[in-house]
Amino acid sequence: MHMHKFEKIWLIFGITCLIFFLSVVGVSAFYLGNKPPSCLTTVNSEKVDKTKPFDKPGLHKVEGKDWDYELVYVAQAFSYNPAQVKVPLGAKVRVIATTKDVVHGFEVAGTNINMMLEPGYVSEYTTTFDKAGEYLIVCNEYCGAGHHLMSSKIEVVE
Ligand code: CUA
């Protein structure tokens, strides 16, 4: 079969691109361990207050896990529970959050924590707070008339 030179170049270019992009995805997933947010964990959004761990929002020390603390948040229009929390400096914290009503955001300003909280799903993120100070949590998904009032605070203390 005869192939034009340009056709060959184009095919090689296309296949090289394909292999390159698949390698990027592969390295990111299997070597760096990146994965989509934990949409696999579900919760009955009508029974959030009675479902563990959301029956006790706040910071809890845990044993035998890859992290030292679990920081549990319940979001609803237009607040987060807890409204303020103190976290020890350098602690490895698993943030676990969900919403009781509509979609809310969960962005911790000045960090790379930025989750979407969807009704019926649990959003989780593990991080280490290694800089003392106050961190503002804001809702970055428009959720209604009080959206701009929706915030919470993390205080990282020594
Ligand atoms: Cu909650 Cu915007």
Side-chain angles (χ1 to χ4, degrees):
M1 188 179 75
H2 176 73
M3 240 193 259
H4 192 273
K5 192 175 86 189
F6 289 159
E7 207 174 0
K8 261 189 205 157
I9 292 172
W10 185 243
L11 268 177
I12 290 168
F13 174 75
I15 291 167
T16 311
C17 281
L18 184 67
I19 291 170
F20 174 73
F21 288 127
L22 285 177
S23 309
V24 169
V25 173
V27 168
S28 164
F30 298 109
Y31 180 69
L32 299 175
N34 291 330
K35 52 189 173 193
S38 60
C39 287
L40 290 174
T41 319
T42 56
V43 60
N44 183 337
S45 58
E46 284 170 13
K47 292 185 185 150
V48 167
D49 287 333
K50 293 186 189 98
T51 311
K52 272 185 179 177
F54 302 107
D55 53 343
K56 288 194 189 96
L59 188 73
H60 308 291
K61 182 120 181 86
V62 291
E63 307 266 322
K65 294 196 177 169
D66 289 343
W67 44 87
D68 313 312
Y69 291 90
E70 284 179 352
L71 183 49
V72 180
Y73 278 97
V74 176
Q76 69 182 101
F78 300 99
S79 64
Y80 296 97
N81 184 10
Q84 183 160 11
V85 81
K86 278 195 169 88
V87 174
L89 183 69
K92 194 170 183 190
V93 177
R94 180 78 165 174
V95 180
I96 305 171
T98 192
T99 165
K100 278 159 73 168
D101 39 42
V102 296
V103 170
H104 295 285
F106 188 96
E107 179 181 350
V108 186
T111 72
N112 59 354
I113 306 172
N114 187 359
M115 305 191 286
M116 187 193 261
L117 312 182
E118 296 161 275
Y121 292 94
V122 178
S123 302
E124 301 185 48
Y125 191 85
T126 309
T127 189
T128 304
F129 290 97
D130 42 21
K131 233 177 104 190
E134 273 187 8
Y135 294 84
L136 184 68
I137 301 170
V138 290
C139 179
N140 56 12
E141 298 284 339
Y142 184 73
C143 52
H147 163 70
H148 61 290
L149 301 170
M150 198 167 161
S151 70
S152 175
K153 211 188 278 172
I154 295 177
E155 242 183 286
V156 179
V157 289
E158 294 190 36

